[in-house]
Amino acid sequence: MSVIDPQPPAPGSTDAAQAALHDRIAADSLTTRRDYLRIVATVSGGLAVGGVAVASGILHRHGDGEGPPEPKRIADRIAPGESLAFRYPGAEDRAIAVRMDDGTLAGYSAVCTHLACAVLWRKDRGDEGELYCPCHEGVFDARTGAVTAGPPPRALPKVLLQEREDGSVWAVGTARSGEDAREALCRQQGGDAALCRNAAAPAERSDRP
Ligand code: FES
């Protein structure tokens, strides 16, 4: 019986093959690491730029359009304690309407002024409900849109609402963060004194149903 010993590789070939393999692994892992770092840098850079842009109001925001937006019927009726998500003035502009228990109707942009997450209505929080952003626990006053907790840097811009005699609710304009309804309507109507005088401030009135 013969035993065949494993044949040793030719002198020098093992070292060369190992060196080549090592170089390839090193090159691959370097590329992977570089790619990874590039992706991380791109994503965090994008988030940082987006965050700064949203926080400073550089991106499109409610109330930036030319002239007054077209009125839009958003509901047949909104009962006390109810909220309604809708889009206004554009198809991409998320908005929310809430009616508090005392009948006050208020409308806001539903885009959080921190990092643009969707703002929700929490009826059972506080004395009369609150507008809440779940991303970083941002909270806004339902009556004014002002920030009451969390990191949002600015109040929610208002969407001006009007309730008509048949109970239907209409969005009729937009205001910038911190701007009241009358100022917003005047600005959108070109500051015409007569129009400004006659302009209602629909989002700020309290209509008991
Ligand atoms: S995105 Fe709303 S609190 Fe951060």
Side-chain angles (χ1 to χ4, degrees), residues 74-89:
I74 60 167
D76 292 341
R77 177 180 163 79
I78 300 178
E82 280 185 359
S83 71
L84 174 78
F86 62 103
R87 305 275 173 147
Y88 187 81

Side-chain angles (χ1 to χ4, degrees), residues 79-118:
E82 280 185 359
S83 71
L84 174 78
F86 62 103
R87 305 275 173 147
Y88 187 81
E92 302 299 316
D93 298 316
R94 287 172 284 151
I96 187 166
V98 299
R99 190 192 286 279
M100 280 157 273
D101 286 338
D102 72 352
T104 300
L105 191 58
Y108 300 98
S109 161
V111 180
C112 181
T113 56
H114 183 218
L115 293 176
C117 286

Side-chain angles (χ1 to χ4, degrees), residues 54 111-119 132-140 149-153:
V54 169
V111 180
C112 181
T113 56
H114 183 218
L115 293 176
C117 286
V119 170
Y132 167 69
C133 176
C135 287
H136 311 98
E137 305 285 320
V139 182
F140 302 88

